[in-house]
Amino acid sequence: MPTEVALELERAVSHRRTFAIISHPDAGKTTLTEKLLLYGGAIHLAGAVKSRRAERHATSDWMKLEQERGISVTSSVMQFEYDGFAVNLLDTPGHEDFSEDTYRTLVAADSAVMLLDNRKGVEERTRQLFEVCKKRRTPIFTFVNKCDRVGEDSLKLLSDVEADLGIDCHPITWPIFHGNAFVGVYDRRLDQVHLFGKDEHHGATRAIAQRLPLHSADTRARVGDEPYAQLLHDIELLDAAGHPFDRDAVMRGELSPVFFGSALTNFGVEPFLREFLELAPPPLPRESTTGIIEPTNPSFTGFVFKIQANMDPRHRDRIAFVRICSGRFVAGLEVTQVRTGKKVRLSAPQQFMARERTAVEEAWPGDVIGVIDRGNLRIGDTLAEDGNPEFTGIPRFPPEHFARVVLIDPMKRKQLDAGLRQLTEEGAAQVFFTSPTEVSGPTPLIGAVGMLQFDVMLHRLEHEYGVRCRLEKIAGRYPRWVTGPKDAIERVGRERGRNILYDAFGAPLILFEDSWGLRWALERETSVKFHDSAP
Ligand code: GDP
């Protein structure tokens, strides 16, 4: 690689940030995303992501479903620039479209922003997504949202987060309230007070902020005596009793830098974005079967983390989303699909800018490109310019919903098997069986993380494979893969009317009826190991 390209690669890597937002529905992810795009200059008046919000509720209407998927393709990755950084925000589907894709997206991100509602703190979905990040030691930044309305006491909120998730918190910005009104934040790294002024567009334009030194009579006068005294008191407490800032601990995912703000009014969004981009890691080295691959390695590598099928049966094309891990990508590059050894030319790749797809000529580590696929690529596939490294697989995540597939025309079993195989490879859902030897037996089951995946499966089986099915849901939202002595697995698995299922590789998992039943088994059956992703 010529020196100037090597230098460009190094620069591109050091200025790239690829992250995802993890949150529970309604914490404000759509709103914050809009505002980040607004600050990034990708849209002038925030509101472009809204169409998605408006359409999210009617899921049984197929036209709607297609529209929604169309929109989610274009907003799967949002790229914008801010302060010299090239930022890739990977969308994590939430609400009804919550799915394995949501988890897999986290594997493609280098850091995560955990968005919390200031009244609710950590909620169930946040916790699930956090666990995936924690396992991967992904650096996590916290944004406490909705500070424009009275919420939980800030100190209490953070100590709850620490206790709940087992992560240390270090506030970088701290909220300033005037009575109940959110008037500013103090930035501990810059030692500056940001006082906000109301914009005239109800949050549609950037917030106006004045930056003031903390220790000044003028600042005290502007903030007000009482809020100022409270602020000094809080800072003293944080400095004395809080966790000190430790960059290495942030990089290991053990310490979360925390920011306070309001996505709705934009207050605190700008200080968050600036500090976050500075502190968040650039594209990180990734482990492969041939050793660690540095992003600045000149040879292109990447992996498929998501495949989006076209809902229109006349267009079977799918888009495979490839996260670039190393090297410079140029349109037309020939790479090897390492799993099969086949050569693939990446000739019509696309990139994503806010809601628009554009043809991409060049891309760098941390970027995501969309590659048209005719059914050859699979989730987890590595694409490499040279050699045959494979990135260590994307884990299989435990479904939350299970259903038995019932064929309406029993003669269509072959087509059903073909369809299920294809859809499983694509990662649209997982297939299970009720006995380890029953892989072609009468009753396959499908498992999904989100309910919408079931609707999509039925629709696609009918329209792409000509198989009409119905689903019988089965109970058990707490699946665990199990290893250990067979008789013990049988005992736990048959207690209290539970089900034992076998995945496509024959590995058993038990469906627990509730978290209590699971805990009981965990405590008593010490010879059995319970895994929350496939062993
Ligand atoms: P999502 O489900 O996480 O994408 O959440 P949305 O962005 O759709 O927001 C859910 C609701 O919370 C909407 O009614 C938003 O207007 C509201 N919301 C989002 N951010 C804020 C905020 O900073 N303050 C207040 N008061 N409401 C907010």
Side-chain angles (χ1 to χ4, degrees):
M1 177 177 273
T3 345
E4 63 273 24
V5 179
L7 284 175
E8 214 185 335
L9 175 60
E10 212 160 277
R11 206 196 110 76
V13 168
S14 64
H15 288 76
R16 262 184 176 58
R17 300 290 184 265
T18 300
F19 75 103
I21 299 177
I22 60 174
S23 62
H24 192 81
D26 292 328
K29 187 173 62 116
T30 313
T31 312
L32 183 65
T33 301
E34 278 170 15
K35 300 312 170 74
L36 295 178
L37 293 177
L38 169 73
Y39 277 86
I43 41 179
H44 298 300
L45 281 188
V49 194
K50 270 211 187 102
S51 50
R52 183 160 181 214
R53 187 191 297 157
E55 277 161 36
R56 130 193 338 150
H57 294 289
T59 52
S60 50
D61 177 335
W62 293 117
M63 282 307 288
K64 277 270 161 55
L65 188 59
E66 267 177 58
Q67 274 172 17
E68 218 165 81
R69 288 169 63 86
I71 292 165
S72 71
V73 169
T74 49
S75 61
S76 284
V77 185
M78 287 156 278
Q79 201 179 50
F80 61 92
E81 291 196 1
Y82 187 81
D83 212 8
F85 290 99
V87 188
N88 294 304
L89 169 51
L90 309 185
D91 188 34
T92 42
H95 292 268
E96 292 88 352
D97 50 355
F98 182 61
S99 67
E100 271 102 327
D101 278 345
T102 313
Y103 290 136
R104 291 186 199 116
T105 297
L106 298 178
V107 180
D110 297 306
S111 61
V113 169
M114 177 165 75
L115 180 67
L116 303 177
D117 180 314
N118 69 343
R119 287 187 184 164
K120 298 185 176 150
V122 175
E123 296 174 84
E124 191 194 345
R125 192 63 58 73
T126 336
R127 202 173 288 119
Q128 288 170 319
L129 295 168
F130 174 86
E131 287 305 325
V132 175
C133 294
K134 187 173 175 182
K135 255 198 197 140
R136 303 184 47 79
R137 297 170 155 255
T138 306
I140 295 175
F141 296 76
T142 303
F143 186 89
V144 179
N145 192 28
K146 307 198 182 183
C147 291
D148 58 288
R149 55 146 172 71
V150 180
E152 179 62 87
D153 171 73
S154 306
L155 283 171
K156 164 90 168 56
L157 191 113
L158 295 192
S159 76
D160 287 350
V161 171
E162 293 189 338
D164 194 322
L165 301 179
I167 188 169
D168 293 340
C169 290
H170 174 91
I172 302 260
T173 65
W174 193 251
I176 305 170
F177 295 103
H178 203 156
N180 284 337
F182 179 44
V183 295
V185 292
Y186 168 64
D187 185 319
R188 295 174 75 200
R189 264 167 48 97
L190 297 180
D191 192 22
Q192 259 179 359
V193 169
H194 294 236
L195 276 189
F196 307 126
K198 274 223 184 308
D199 73 40
E200 283 157 17
H201 305 277
H202 304 285
T205 55
R206 298 166 190 220
I208 302 149
Q210 273 183 309
R211 296 182 187 195
L212 307 164
L214 176 63
H215 295 287
S216 104
D218 178 48
T219 306
R220 191 175 71 197
R222 284 167 191 255
V223 173
D225 283 345
E226 213 175 294
Y228 187 77
Q230 179 69 44
L231 175 64
L232 291 185
H233 171 263
D234 288 349
I235 295 169
E236 204 178 341
L237 200 69
L238 291 175
D239 287 346
H243 298 281
F245 185 76
D246 173 350
R247 178 124 204 204
D248 293 338
V250 174
M251 291 306 132
R252 289 194 302 270
E254 291 165 9
L255 181 78
S256 180
V258 179
F259 302 83
F260 289 81
S262 156
L264 192 68
T265 62
N266 299 340
F267 289 6
V269 171
E270 194 269 338
F272 156 69
L273 184 56
R274 201 170 19 76
E275 300 272 4
F276 164 67
L277 293 177
E278 210 156 285
L279 295 172
L284 298 168
R286 301 238 164 191
E287 257 176 65
S288 83
T289 47
T290 57
I292 302 271
I293 296 182
E294 294 289 336
T296 48
N297 188 325
S299 172
F300 170 90
T301 59
F303 66 89
V304 177
F305 68 95
K306 173 169 163 167
I307 291 177
Q308 183 100 55
N310 200 320
M311 291 296 286
D312 183 343
R314 285 163 304 175
H315 300 283
R316 280 239 177 161
D317 289 352
R318 314 181 301 175
I319 295 184
F321 290 82
V322 179
R323 145 86 202 217
I324 301 177
C325 297
S326 69
R328 177 174 71 147
F329 171 80
V330 282
L333 187 73
E334 191 177 73
V335 296
T336 305
Q337 176 187 20
V338 178
R339 179 173 53 82
T340 59
K342 279 191 197 140
K343 293 278 181 205
V344 186
R345 187 173 292 282
L346 305 177
S347 45
Q350 298 174 324
Q351 208 166 27
F352 310 88
M353 181 67 96
R355 297 185 63 218
E356 268 136 51
R357 281 196 244 170
T358 50
V360 53
E361 291 301 318
E362 184 181 66
W364 303 96
D367 289 346
V368 170
I369 51 171
V371 180
I372 304 284
D373 168 48
R374 309 225 184 283
N376 302 316
L377 294 173
R378 282 191 204 167
I379 300 271
D381 270 359
T382 300
L383 302 176
E385 192 177 353
D386 301 300
N388 51 5
E390 279 193 275
F391 291 106
T392 7
I394 297 187
R396 276 183 295 142
F397 297 98
E400 285 180 24
H401 307 281
F402 293 86
R404 194 166 279 119
V405 183
V406 183
L407 267 173
I408 291 172
D409 175 0
M411 302 303 285
K412 292 272 174 98
R413 179 59 199 253
K414 254 199 179 139
Q415 289 90 325
L416 173 68
D417 284 344
L420 288 179
R421 199 177 321 113
Q422 181 72 39
L423 295 175
T424 312
E425 281 173 12
E426 224 176 75
Q430 298 181 51
V431 178
F432 299 93
F433 303 92
T434 46
S435 107
T437 52
E438 195 212 20
V439 175
S440 57
T443 50
L445 289 102
I446 55 176
V449 167
M451 289 294 275
L452 182 64
Q453 281 180 273
F454 283 155
D455 295 346
V456 172
M457 287 283 278
L458 284 183
H459 180 80
R460 294 190 55 197
L461 282 173
E462 181 172 346
H463 291 89
E464 289 172 35
Y465 300 91
V467 199
R468 288 179 55 224
C469 304
R470 67 189 163 76
L471 297 180
E472 283 171 6
K473 306 250 160 73
I474 61 171
R477 285 200 57 176
Y478 296 82
R480 286 291 180 276
W481 271 275
V482 282
T483 48
K486 224 172 157 208
D487 55 331
I489 290 178
E490 280 287 321
R491 187 174 53 245
V492 187
R494 302 288 172 217
E495 251 173 9
R496 308 165 105 214
R498 283 174 199 143
N499 284 296
I500 305 183
L501 303 182
Y502 298 85
D503 68 16
F505 302 91
L509 69 166
I510 296 176
L511 297 193
F512 288 91
E513 58 290 359
D514 50 34
S515 59
W516 193 86
L518 171 63
R519 211 172 325 131
W520 176 255
L522 275 174
E523 279 165 20
R524 285 203 330 175
E525 295 289 345
T526 46
S527 65
V528 179
K529 283 212 165 69
F530 300 86
H531 311 270
D532 55 12
S533 59

